[in-house]
Amino acid sequence: MDPHLLTTFVTVARHGSFSAAAAELGYTQSAISQQVAALEADLGLALLRRRPVEPTPAGRRLLEHAEPLLLRLRAARADVLRTAAEPRHLLRLAATPLAVNPVVAARLAEARARQPRLEIRLRMCRAERLAALVAEGRADLGLADGIAAPSDPLRLPDAGPMTTTGVTEEDLVVALPAGHPLAGRASLRLADLIDARWLRTPLCPPARLRDLVGEGFPAGLEYEGDDVRTALNLAAAGHGLTLLPASAVPAGGGGGGGVCAVPVAAPRLVHRVELLHAALPPGAAADLVAALSG
Amino acid sequence: MDPHLLTTFVTVARHGSFSAAAAELGYTQSAISQQVAALEADLGLALLRRRPVEPTPAGRRLLEHAEPLLLRLRAARADVLRTAAEPRHLLRLAATPLAVNPVVAARLAEARARQPRLEIRLRMCRAERLAALVAEGRADLGLADGIAAPSDPLRLPDAGPMTTTGVTEEDLVVALPAGHPLAGRASLRLADLIDARWLRTPLCPPARLRDLVGEGFPAGLEYEGDDVRTALNLAAAGHGLTLLPASAVPAGGGGGGGVCAVPVAAPRLVHRVELLHAALPPGAAADLVAALSG
DNA sequence: ATAACTTACGATGTACGTAATGATA
DNA sequence: TATCATTACGTACATCGTAAGTTAT
């Protein structure tokens, strides 16, 4: 169960090919073959069926363990290295697209006003990768957004010991095309929309949507990008509805061809932003955490 | 961050000695020295200060990560191997001393009555080790007991993905010596006992007691064993109070020199028993789980 | 026939043990 | 000075690459 072999195994399984894994990892096909063989010999059972390359049941089991295990290993390494790190004036912040709402942006501004030497590099990433990024120390702070019941924490993937703090909670709205029968309502229940078409976009993770709206919700268009205006334009054009924080939808829904934001009354849901970080590097990080936590 | 080196490092830190670690792991002193040096070189920082051998701050950090990491690694290995295991007729059960209460014992009997071929080997262990034992596959099922709010899960150490099921909940009582001023009461509040002396015993983990009773509770006698009758005898003799499940304290508190069990009315607490298991080996395990879950 | 994994084998590097050296109480 | 960790060095083993072999499409 050498992590080296585990990495190779995971890569082979992901590519479904020994040669592709070899290319990615910078080994020869032969070395990969030997490494997989060594892992199988160590465990005493076959992990991959060849030609086509696909995991056996035992292999599938191992895959479920290997990824989080390797993540924790990298996280531990990063954490130990942080104890000896230089104080940083540059903080690397990772955020999901909807996490930097007006409140968060304002608090970042306050922090920078108080600490002129503080530099911030903000980088966007998807929610699934955010926790890993922070755990591995490739970002100092993470801002994740998601949909939750009021005061409930977000369900983030477990990437080892990390601190999470609630930052903001705001109303959740459904973005409806201006001409939609429910547009203009003061609020609505998700149950009213059970047959509606939904926009599939990482802005509102499909997994979460399935929880909220039910299993077989009819899929509208799938938008793989994470630009809010694009999503709004698609919603306005009737490609499907989408759930967004109120602040992401421009006010004055009267304009022609726009979208209309209707708050979700039931179930009680909010759009929540959370700050997550591992052990903080010495320097300005602690101040920024305090500023963001409000 | 080779697990091999990590194991060595943890062992050295535990013994506070390279030579003792060498003896335990079956290496020479020299090999241990080289392994620790290799780990330090890999991370680029000192992990141990020598003579006396004790961890540096970075080393302490690494120790916090290493133990759970190695546990998860062993757990993953055990889980994968289980997928290819033979069906077992012998189930290895691990339990904390108070987990096998009358209800649990009865359910075990039912299961054995239904499945005559089923063999059970029951082994006692402390709560801290139980989760690790199950995760590593050294026990098939674990029965843990502890104190919790009604319907709340126990706070067990995280040892990787595991299923936990509530089995029983019963009243929590304070075992008081028969002559105690509060003996004979129908119920009491823990706050009434804030100045009482408590028996320190693994039967009622001191950490939990500290949560419940407050920080500086005066320590009575410390009993390192886990025999309930011994603890009751000590309580009867006035060495200190202890929290126990109602079924562990014999009824009829009138007898001379015995203990009197008084239920805890506030805070609302119960003695809870939970069943935990990883992926079940094929065979009788699933039936036993069903029987225990009731 | 060909793309893809496996096996054979030689070169390189890593890891351990023995033994000598160095440091500390 | 005795104990304990480190360093030096030789050996054994593990790992990788090249190249030949095998197998499924």
Side-chain angles (χ1 to χ4, degrees):
Chain A
M1 297 272 297
D2 181 351
H4 185 209
L5 303 183
L6 239 37
T7 308
T8 299
F9 169 64
V10 169
T11 309
V12 170
R14 190 174 56 239
H15 284 85
S17 154
F18 282 53
S19 14
E24 176 176 328
L25 298 173
Y27 287 107
T28 58
Q29 251 181 42
S30 165
I32 300 298
S33 178
Q34 293 176 56
Q35 288 173 15
V36 172
L39 188 58
E40 292 184 324
D42 172 37
L43 291 169
L45 35 85
L47 298 172
L48 294 169
R49 226 173 289 290
R50 271 75 163 179
R51 235 178 311 240
V53 172
E54 58 182 7
T56 61
R60 267 192 297 278
R61 211 55 183 263
L62 183 56
L63 282 173
E64 290 169 24
H65 288 286
E67 198 77 65
L69 213 47
L70 293 171
L71 173 60
R72 286 184 102 95
L73 204 59
R74 290 189 298 269
R77 184 188 184 84
D79 187 50
V80 172
L81 292 179
R82 238 186 321 258
T83 64
E86 309 281 295
R88 304 177 66 87
H89 58 287
L90 169 67
L91 283 179
R92 295 161 303 165
L93 234 149
T96 51
L98 291 172
V100 186
N101 59 29
V103 173
V104 170
R107 292 196 180 156
L108 281 175
E110 284 170 36
R112 292 200 43 224
R114 274 204 297 271
Q115 295 237 350
R117 293 193 50 222
L118 173 63
E119 279 184 62
I120 295 175
R121 179 182 300 156
L122 178 59
R123 161 183 175 185
M124 290 308 183
C125 81
R126 300 280 166 86
E128 314 90 60
R129 297 190 48 207
L130 195 126
L133 224 61
V134 172
E136 291 174 36
R138 306 205 290 134
D140 300 306
L141 266 55
L143 283 164
D145 80 284
I147 298 172
S151 307
D152 267 18
L154 297 179
R155 302 194 287 92
L156 295 168
D158 179 31
M162 242 186 302
T163 309
T164 68
T165 329
V167 177
T168 66
E169 283 189 359
E170 66 173 312
D171 285 343
L172 195 67
V173 302
V174 180
L176 300 160
H180 192 281
L182 293 172
R185 296 258 296 252
S187 72
L188 52 74
R189 293 167 302 155
L190 278 189
D192 297 337
L193 296 169
I194 198 155
D195 294 322
R197 285 190 306 171
W198 292 89
L199 210 55
R200 290 214 225 193
T201 144
L203 290 174
C204 177
R208 198 80 186 89
L209 204 56
R210 193 157 46 237
D211 285 356
L212 297 173
V213 182
E215 187 53 51
F217 64 95
L221 180 143
E222 175 157 2
Y223 167 48
E224 295 189 332
D226 48 21
D227 178 63
V228 178
R229 293 198 43 203
T230 304
L232 287 174
N233 288 338
L234 292 170
H239 289 287
L241 313 181
T242 183
L243 286 169
L244 289 171
S247 64
V249 186
V259 294
C260 174
V262 179
V264 177
R268 283 293 302 138
L269 292 173
V270 293
H271 180 263
R272 181 179 170 94
V273 175
E274 279 183 11
L275 175 66
L276 53 165
H277 60 86
L280 289 174
D287 290 317
L288 187 54
V289 168
L292 282 170
S293 306
Chain B
M1 297 271 299
D2 181 351
H4 186 206
L5 303 184
L6 240 37
T7 310
T8 299
F9 169 64
V10 169
T11 310
V12 170
R14 190 175 56 239
H15 285 85
S17 153
F18 282 53
S19 16
E24 176 176 327
L25 297 173
Y27 287 108
T28 59
Q29 251 181 40
S30 165
I32 299 299
S33 179
Q34 293 176 56
Q35 289 174 14
V36 172
L39 189 58
E40 291 183 323
D42 173 36
L43 291 170
L45 36 84
L47 298 172
L48 293 170
R49 224 174 292 289
R50 270 76 164 181
R51 236 180 302 251
V53 173
E54 59 183 5
T56 64
R60 267 192 296 277
R61 210 54 182 265
L62 184 56
L63 281 173
E64 290 169 24
H65 288 286
E67 198 76 66
L69 212 50
L70 293 170
L71 173 60
R72 284 184 103 95
L73 203 60
R74 290 191 297 268
R77 185 186 184 85
D79 186 50
V80 171
L81 291 178
R82 238 187 321 257
T83 64
E86 309 281 297
R88 304 177 65 88
H89 58 287
L90 169 66
L91 282 179
R92 294 160 304 163
L93 234 149
T96 52
L98 291 172
V100 186
N101 59 30
V103 173
V104 170
R107 291 196 180 155
L108 282 174
E110 284 170 35
R112 293 200 44 224
R114 274 205 297 270
Q115 295 238 349
R117 292 194 50 222
L118 173 63
E119 277 185 64
I120 295 176
R121 179 182 302 157
L122 178 60
R123 161 184 174 183
M124 291 306 182
C125 79
R126 300 280 165 87
E128 316 89 63
R129 297 190 48 207
L130 195 127
L133 225 61
V134 173
E136 291 174 39
R138 307 204 290 134
D140 301 306
L141 266 57
L143 283 164
D145 80 285
I147 297 171
S151 305
D152 268 17
L154 297 179
R155 302 194 286 91
L156 296 168
D158 179 31
M162 243 186 302
T163 308
T164 68
T165 329
V167 176
T168 66
E169 283 188 0
E170 65 173 311
D171 286 342
L172 194 67
V173 301
V174 180
L176 300 161
H180 192 280
L182 294 170
R185 295 258 296 250
S187 73
L188 51 75
R189 293 166 302 154
L190 278 189
D192 298 337
L193 297 169
I194 199 158
D195 294 321
R197 285 190 306 171
W198 290 90
L199 211 54
R200 292 213 225 193
T201 144
L203 290 173
C204 176
R208 197 78 185 90
L209 204 56
R210 193 157 43 237
D211 286 355
L212 297 173
V213 181
E215 187 54 49
F217 64 95
L221 181 142
E222 175 157 3
Y223 168 47
E224 296 189 330
D226 50 19
D227 178 64
V228 178
R229 292 198 44 205
T230 303
L232 287 174
N233 289 338
L234 291 171
H239 289 287
L241 312 182
T242 184
L243 287 167
L244 289 171
S247 64
V249 186
V259 294
C260 175
V262 178
V264 176
R268 282 293 302 138
L269 292 172
V270 294
H271 180 263
R272 181 178 169 96
V273 175
E274 278 183 12
L275 176 66
L276 53 165
H277 60 85
L280 291 173
D287 289 317
L288 187 54
V289 168
L292 282 170
S293 306

